Amino acid sequence: MSKMANYEGPTVTNNVNSGNMIFKPILEDGVFRFDCSTNDRDAAFPSISFVNSKDRETPITSDKVPSYIPAFECLLGQQVVKLELPLGTSLYGTGEVSGQLERTGKRVFTWNTDAWGYGSETTSLYQSHPWVLAVLPNGEALGILADTTRRCEIDLRKESTIQFVAPSSYPVITFGPFDSPTAVLISLSHALGTAFMPPKWSLGYHQCRWSYVSDKRVLEVARTFRQKRIPCDVIWMDIDYMDGFRCFTFDKERFQDPKSLVKNLHDNGFKAIWMLDPGIKREEGYHVYDSGSENDVWVQKADGTPFVGEVWPGPCVFPDYTQSKVRAWWASLVKDFISNGVDGIWNDMNEPAIFKVVTKTMPDSNVHRGDSELGGCQNHSFYHNVYGLLMARSTYEGMKLASEKNRPFVLTRAGFVGSQRYAATWTGDNLSTWEHLHMSICMVLQLGLSGQPLSGPDIGGFAGNATPKLFARWMGVGAMFPFFRGLSEADIIDHEPWSFGEECEEVCRLALKRRYCFIPLIYTLFYFAHTSGTPVATPTFFADPKDPSLRRLENSFLLGPVLVCARTLPSQGLDNLEFTLPKGIWLSFDFGDAHPDLPALYLKGGSIIPVGPPLQHVGEANPSDDLTLIVALDEHGKAEGVLFEDDGDGYEFTKGEYLLTHYVAELQSTTVTVSVYKTQGSWKRPNRRLHIQLLLGGGAMLDTWGMDGEVLQLILPSEDEVSKLVSAGAKQYKNQLENAVQIPDLEEVSGPKGTALTRTPIELKSGDWVLKVIPWIGGRIISMMHIPSGTQWLHSRIEINGYEEYSGTEYRSAGCSEEYSVINRKLEHAGEGESVVLEGDIGGGLVLQRQIYFPKDAANVFRIDSSIIARNVGAGSGGFSRLVCLRVHPTFNLLHPSESFVSFTSVDGSKHEVFPDSGEQFFEGNLLPDGEWMLIDKCLGIALVNRFDGKVVSKCLVHWEFGTVNLELWSENRPVSKESPLRISHEYEVVKFP
């Protein structure tokens, strides 16, 4: 071992609580483990993220030293790690997160959370990746992993600075700096493991709904895909296939014969994927519950009894996947389940999500009797973030037990760094909005930059009604994502490709055919992801990491050497087709399918990509058995590319039963020669025709045919003829776009949940606040973003929650859903003094009126003046005798439910702290808050203060819900007249809280 391998920096004693971290090289050159001290190193728990925990513990011989050394501070049981990098460094990673691609200015918390309807500022989603990828100004890259399963704050608000805060003690692992971001991700995969090799069919299109409620409906959907010749490979079964939501069962009426259903699907080229949740109904006589109880597999409360939480079946118990015996028990259930013809399994609700509790999950005090190699017996706060990973691992292992001839396909909602070894993932319960379409690109890329290449969003949005144009655009972009599935929730309009009219259906058909043409390329990229740890979809800046102008691009991404340029805003159309291209040669191409709602495609000069025919499903026999190579020469007249082939499933490829072909092209004089440079593997080359398409630019190309394996040549025409071909190609491409059948730009769609998602909210801004207001449903405020703290205090679906007002003491009385008119809108200069006045008719001659404004003298607050006003009260109107109560009803998001509470001083001077376990409480009379109360987040160290006029507020209500809290202000309950309206004036401010 070299001298440097033992270097531990300055001597650190037990009472030192700050300084530079000590390090040891591990794994391979350029990878270092940092700890606060030798004692901290010895105290650290085993790694669950590393594929082999011993790799993190074992020093290697290395002469390298770190380029950057993190500093630490230990305070009140928290370990704060800070790494300062050169100015101009760009930050990425952080796993499954919403918001912008470049992460500077963001702060997230690793705490797996059921985040239905999340927004761009939501700080915790379904997965946890305490990992940051930093791209330095010179294009080199560095990765840093805080290897802790505990709740961890990743603070990137200070430019070029990475800070982790989590309970002591945990090591930090750095990877690099290496020459490129790809090199960092390859090195990361040596620690975390690579992605599982997906079966080829799983790269096709997947169709899902919550739920296809019967086998008849499943077969109807499958038939329609084939009748309409729209490609699709997989139909998914959500929870309604089960008998009363009991896992490993089938509803005896609606899914009487699952084997027969799957056979029918298989005969028509479909695979079937079925959902399994961790919540097992507590019911004696139910075989899974009885077996689990007999084997003592359940997560326990602190008193040693099984924890019971409410989920879909009602009261449930939960397997403790931290124990090998429990994972084996679950795997045996999965093995038996597969015998029903199950092709893949969907693990949902495994954060784990629990209903009817404010924290949305199990109590931290629950006990997991984990294996020693995972960390031993610990409370839930230790294992919470890896519960989903361990469930996915158990499911994956059960599928392997069921069949050694088929590769498992598992999809998991919850996960941790390392989950890619066992499962794909998706970006959770998103919304059918243009914002979420745009954000889906960033989310897929961030997952890829955090080691998880197989991911994608719910195409079209899970919650709410898509419009035809939004759905078509999303399908066009989604066709180029690694994982490609459409899913929508119950009680909305249908979201199948044919559900939005003929024009949208045709765009979806084109997008899906394009996807299937790219299957050879995508499958090849996943082979390298599995064997080498390379990413599949990457940000545009991967084409030139040294170019800072590319680092914030969010409407384009790379799929290997293909640049996908998408229009993710509704206003982008034929008049906005310009995209930022990296330096070098980028040649546009398509499949004769150019359309304004499909992404534009460019191939990097020097590249060859394999494409196939537009099949109906991956396993469909290809009558012509043709392969196409699309070639883009670089400035030296050369190009190269690879194609991986095997039988599409199983593990024979690990024994050499595959064919990896390296194709090259070279221009000499006026002749372009395309040939096989080298091959690997023992798989026999198919006897097939080879179609060469040489891109010239502007959509123009030359082509020739031959047999695969032969040397093929194309003769370039003169420069003048090439120029004419390019000009004609560009003209043809433009004509295709202009003559494409346009999707109607509908602002309204029919359906149970109405049309609200297609309208544009009013946005109000000040120095500190950004608010979004929707007049068309109750004048509701759906977003309250506080800019300095980066917190989204209120983020709601348009149809429900947010900031509402009622005209009665009962829940959802008049005022919460009536359409409001905008009476006045003022936009002052410099972002100050903006205001809006809204008014809604609530009947009986009464109106609810609200003014929202930012006072010029206090840009750090915003104020709301609400009133119930009599307009036309007279004889017979009912207004004089009608009792009304102005009830202000904001639903605030709890960013950290277990760390939040409400605090105030009452009129009589008594102090009150109201915690989530208190349920619902009224305060009135002398116990009424004395003009203000605050919602405190101890984790963030800040509070949302609500000040109000105590003379007009007669009651205050605190109501804790599933990850939210209502802080309500109630007026007195009385009739109103023109002379005596009801008014409540109040304001909000965010302050620091020690």
Side-chain angles (χ1 to χ4, degrees):
M1 185 176 293
S2 73
K3 184 177 180 181
M4 289 312 304
N6 281 321
Y7 177 75
E8 295 190 349
T11 302
V12 178
T13 59
N14 288 342
N15 61 356
V16 172
N17 59 9
S18 65
N20 287 334
M21 303 183 84
I22 63 172
F23 66 87
K24 282 190 176 183
I26 61 169
L27 198 68
E28 61 194 19
D29 270 355
V31 179
F32 298 93
R33 169 179 173 160
F34 290 89
D35 294 273
C36 300
S37 68
T38 306
N39 289 342
D40 287 297
R41 180 182 295 153
D42 294 338
F45 288 103
S47 177
I48 297 178
S49 61
F50 272 55
V51 67
N52 182 357
S53 185
K54 291 182 180 179
D55 288 341
R56 201 193 69 178
E57 316 304 325
T58 309
I60 64 165
T61 300
S62 176
D63 291 321
K64 284 194 173 183
V65 295
S67 301
Y68 304 96
I69 295 179
F72 78 93
E73 181 181 10
C74 292
L75 188 65
L76 300 176
Q78 298 288 303
Q79 178 179 310
V80 181
V81 176
K82 182 180 292 186
L83 184 65
E84 296 185 350
L85 299 169
L87 288 178
T89 296
S90 304
L91 305 177
Y92 305 92
T94 68
E96 187 190 54
V97 289
S98 54
Q100 67 206 37
L101 177 67
E102 208 284 323
R103 304 301 293 165
T104 299
K106 305 296 286 186
R107 178 168 61 164
V108 300
F109 293 83
T110 62
W111 188 252
N112 291 4
T113 303
D114 181 355
W116 178 93
Y118 57 85
S120 61
E121 302 299 331
T122 305
T123 57
S124 297
L125 295 184
Y126 309 87
Q127 303 200 15
S128 294
H129 300 77
W131 157 262
V132 178
L133 175 67
V135 181
L136 304 174
N138 64 358
E140 294 181 345
L142 170 76
I144 180 168
L145 172 71
D147 199 14
T148 175
T149 62
R150 306 291 292 273
R151 184 198 302 270
C152 179
E153 175 188 347
I154 309 173
D155 190 345
L156 307 178
R157 289 176 295 176
K158 185 178 179 182
E159 185 180 359
S160 304
T161 300
I162 300 166
Q163 179 172 287
F164 297 107
V165 184
S168 304
S169 299
Y170 60 91
V172 166
I173 318 297
T174 63
F175 300 78
F178 295 131
D179 289 341
S180 68
T182 298
V184 173
L185 294 174
I186 291 172
S187 183
L188 178 68
S189 76
H190 297 162
L192 306 183
T194 62
F196 73 101
M197 184 64 183
K200 196 172 185 179
W201 58 261
S202 69
L203 302 181
Y205 178 63
H206 302 240
Q207 182 63 51
C208 186
R209 170 103 180 176
W210 175 37
S211 284
Y212 293 130
V213 294
S214 70
D215 49 13
K216 293 181 177 61
R217 178 59 179 153
V218 171
L219 294 174
E220 179 187 3
V221 170
R223 264 194 315 273
T224 307
F225 271 104
R226 296 293 179 254
Q227 289 168 356
K228 291 180 172 289
R229 300 195 62 76
I230 298 175
C232 183
D233 264 85
V234 192
I235 305 291
W236 291 58
M237 267 52 73
D238 209 316
I239 52 176
D240 290 291
Y241 80 83
M242 302 176 190
D243 177 14
F245 306 127
R246 298 171 183 85
C247 288
F248 303 103
T249 69
F250 298 91
D251 186 283
K252 296 178 179 61
E253 292 184 3
R254 292 178 290 124
F255 288 84
Q256 296 179 21
D257 188 352
K259 290 182 180 179
S260 175
L261 168 63
V262 171
K263 183 182 184 304
N264 195 318
L265 290 173
H266 286 178
D267 289 345
N268 285 282
F270 289 95
K271 301 292 185 181
I273 294 181
W274 307 72
M275 177 182 280
L276 289 175
D277 291 346
I280 301 300
K281 185 168 187 177
R282 185 187 61 177
E283 179 182 69
E284 292 185 5
Y286 166 36
H287 73 283
V288 179
Y289 174 74
D290 291 344
S291 169
S293 299
E294 182 180 334
N295 288 279
D296 189 23
V297 305
W298 310 126
V299 174
Q300 295 181 344
K301 296 190 295 184
D303 63 8
T305 61
F307 166 75
V308 178
E310 186 100 358
V311 203
W312 295 113
C316 289
V317 288
F318 298 82
D320 184 2
Y321 300 107
T322 67
Q323 302 176 68
S324 57
K325 74 164 191 177
V326 179
R327 294 194 298 275
W329 170 80
W330 182 266
S332 69
L333 292 172
V334 169
K335 177 186 176 183
D336 294 341
F337 189 58
I338 296 298
S339 65
N340 292 288
V342 172
D343 299 300
I345 291 178
W346 175 11
N347 289 161
D348 196 31
M349 305 293 290
N350 54 345
E351 290 72 33
I354 308 293
F355 293 164
K356 300 182 180 179
V357 292
V358 174
T359 63
K360 299 185 179 183
T361 193
M362 296 179 180
D364 285 354
S365 58
N366 274 8
V367 175
H368 297 262
R369 294 163 285 167
D371 300 334
S372 59
E373 62 266 26
L374 299 183
C377 186
Q378 300 282 347
N379 66 21
H380 182 68
S381 64
F382 180 88
Y383 283 119
H384 173 85
N385 283 335
V386 295
Y387 189 87
L389 178 152
L390 295 172
M391 180 187 185
R393 172 182 169 180
S394 307
T395 304
Y396 179 88
E397 290 170 349
M399 291 197 72
K400 286 195 76 171
L401 284 175
S403 173
E404 287 295 330
K405 294 182 179 180
N406 301 106
R407 299 174 204 155
F409 182 82
V410 179
L411 184 81
T412 184
R413 189 168 81 173
F416 192 68
V417 281
S419 293
Q420 71 275 358
R421 301 193 293 265
Y422 313 112
T425 194
W426 85 106
T427 60
D429 295 342
N430 58 1
L431 303 180
S432 293
T433 66
W434 289 94
E435 178 189 31
H436 275 255
L437 163 60
H438 181 86
M439 198 162 59
S440 68
I441 296 177
C442 300
M443 296 184 73
V444 169
L445 297 179
Q446 298 291 17
L447 279 162
L449 297 183
S450 304
Q452 172 55 281
L454 187 49
S455 73
D458 287 340
I459 302 300
F462 175 74
N465 294 321
T467 62
K469 185 172 286 293
L470 172 62
F471 190 84
R473 290 271 181 95
W474 215 325
M475 187 68 79
V477 177
M480 306 303 290
F481 285 145
F483 176 60
F484 186 28
R485 180 184 73 160
L487 169 62
S488 54
E489 69 174 352
D491 299 325
I492 63 169
I493 61 174
D494 289 343
H495 272 206
E496 287 76 42
W498 53 83
S499 303
F500 296 92
E502 292 181 5
E503 298 87 356
C504 180
E505 179 183 323
E506 179 57 22
V507 174
C508 291
R509 185 179 290 106
L510 292 174
L512 284 156
K513 286 183 175 181
R514 178 181 279 191
R515 167 67 172 208
Y516 281 71
C517 288
F518 276 115
I519 291 290
L521 170 65
I522 297 171
Y523 193 55
T524 299
L525 291 173
F526 270 105
Y527 170 73
F528 286 110
H530 172 68
T531 55
S532 306
T534 53
V536 174
T538 58
T540 304
F541 74 79
F542 268 54
D544 187 359
K546 295 180 181 179
D547 186 351
S549 69
L550 303 177
R551 295 190 182 180
R552 293 177 179 267
L553 294 181
E554 297 182 346
N555 66 339
S556 61
F557 60 96
L558 292 162
L559 190 66
V562 176
L563 183 65
V564 181
C565 299
R567 289 176 281 276
T568 55
L569 301 174
S571 58
Q572 292 174 317
L574 286 175
D575 57 343
N576 189 356
L577 298 177
E578 294 298 319
F579 299 101
T580 301
L581 300 179
K583 295 171 186 173
I585 296 173
W586 292 88
L587 300 178
S588 64
F589 72 101
D590 56 49
F591 300 96
D593 58 3
H595 192 283
D597 292 313
L598 293 180
L601 304 175
Y602 296 85
L603 183 59
K604 184 180 182 180
S607 303
I608 299 174
I609 59 168
V611 298
L615 305 174
Q616 296 303 293
H617 58 91
V618 169
E620 183 183 11
N622 176 14
S624 60
D625 214 23
D626 297 337
L627 175 70
T628 299
L629 298 180
I630 301 178
V631 181
L633 299 176
D634 64 13
E635 63 270 25
H636 305 295
K638 295 183 178 181
E640 59 183 29
V642 293
L643 170 64
F644 172 78
E645 299 172 277
D646 69 348
D647 64 3
D649 209 341
Y651 298 94
E652 293 304 308
F653 77 98
T654 65
K655 304 170 186 175
E657 287 293 312
Y658 67 92
L659 178 62
L660 187 66
T661 305
H662 296 254
Y663 294 97
V664 293
E666 185 173 9
L667 171 63
Q668 291 183 327
S669 184
T670 60
T671 302
V672 177
T673 302
V674 181
S675 61
V676 172
Y677 170 62
K678 66 176 181 179
T679 63
Q680 295 167 250
S682 58
W683 188 268
K684 185 179 178 181
R685 181 175 305 282
N687 181 27
R688 62 188 171 203
R689 293 197 305 165
L690 187 65
H691 185 202
I692 307 296
Q693 295 183 336
L694 177 65
L695 302 182
L696 302 176
M701 69 175 184
L702 295 176
D703 72 331
T704 190
W705 287 84
M707 294 302 293
D708 189 17
E710 295 178 348
V711 176
L712 301 179
Q713 293 185 328
L714 298 94
I715 307 299
L716 283 181
S718 67
E719 288 187 16
D720 184 55
E721 289 175 311
V722 169
S723 179
K724 289 179 181 177
L725 286 171
V726 170
S727 177
K731 185 176 181 180
Q732 181 181 2
Y733 177 72
K734 183 180 179 182
N735 287 338
Q736 274 184 295
L737 292 177
E738 290 177 347
N739 295 325
V741 177
Q742 295 291 302
I743 296 174
D745 199 6
L746 298 177
E747 276 300 306
E748 296 194 359
V749 294
S750 60
K753 290 199 176 177
T755 65
L757 289 173
T758 65
R759 306 196 196 183
T760 303
I762 296 172
E763 190 168 86
L764 296 171
K765 294 182 179 179
S766 73
D768 282 18
W769 290 96
V770 178
L771 312 180
K772 290 183 180 179
V773 185
I774 53 167
W776 61 92
I777 303 181
R780 188 168 301 156
I781 303 173
I782 60 167
S783 177
M784 277 174 47
M785 172 65 189
H786 184 250
I787 299 169
S789 65
T791 49
Q792 183 81 278
W793 290 96
L794 184 153
H795 173 79
S796 77
R797 278 271 301 279
I798 284 176
E799 297 94 337
I800 58 170
N801 292 333
Y803 177 100
E804 302 172 322
E805 291 173 346
Y806 309 148
S807 62
T809 56
E810 69 275 14
Y811 183 59
R812 302 236 146 194
S813 53
C816 75
S817 59
E818 282 73 13
E819 182 163 359
Y820 279 47
S821 301
V822 179
I823 305 301
N824 196 341
R825 176 84 195 275
K826 292 182 180 179
L827 298 175
E828 299 293 342
H829 295 294
E832 292 185 2
E834 288 194 13
S835 68
V836 64
V837 180
L838 307 160
E839 190 173 284
D841 189 335
I842 56 174
L846 304 182
V847 296
L848 261 171
Q849 189 181 94
R850 184 190 315 149
Q851 180 180 12
I852 308 166
Y853 62 101
F854 302 105
K856 284 188 175 181
D857 58 348
N860 58 326
V861 307
F862 73 90
R863 293 178 183 159
I864 302 176
D865 296 338
S866 297
S867 307
I868 298 179
I869 301 170
R871 277 284 159 77
N872 299 302
V873 177
S877 71
F880 287 132
S881 59
R882 177 181 173 190
L883 293 176
V884 288
C885 171
L886 178 56
R887 182 178 172 189
V888 173
H889 177 87
T891 302
F892 297 113
N893 294 311
L894 298 174
L895 303 178
H896 306 99
S898 62
E899 302 293 321
S900 300
F901 66 98
V902 174
S903 176
F904 63 90
T905 302
S906 64
V907 172
D908 65 7
S910 57
K911 307 285 187 181
H912 297 265
E913 291 184 346
V914 187
F915 290 89
D917 58 5
S918 63
E920 179 176 284
Q921 291 191 45
F922 273 107
F923 300 93
E924 53 189 319
N926 286 335
L927 294 180
L928 192 73
D930 192 14
E932 77 171 41
W933 53 356
M934 62 178 72
L935 173 59
I936 296 167
D937 187 319
K938 291 190 293 182
C939 202
L940 295 176
I942 57 177
L944 177 67
V945 182
N946 179 208
R947 302 185 186 94
F948 54 88
D949 183 352
K951 297 175 182 175
V952 297
V953 173
S954 66
K955 286 184 184 180
C956 288
L957 171 68
V958 180
H959 177 78
W960 302 93
E961 267 288 353
F962 186 54
T964 63
V965 65
N966 300 120
L967 297 183
E968 296 193 17
L969 307 176
W970 293 37
S971 74
E972 60 181 325
N973 194 32
R974 63 170 172 80
V976 299
S977 66
K978 292 182 179 180
E979 293 74 29
S980 61
L982 281 178
R983 286 198 175 95
I984 292 179
S985 299
H986 62 123
E987 69 179 26
Y988 292 100
E989 179 185 4
V990 172
V991 300
K992 291 184 178 179
F993 184 84

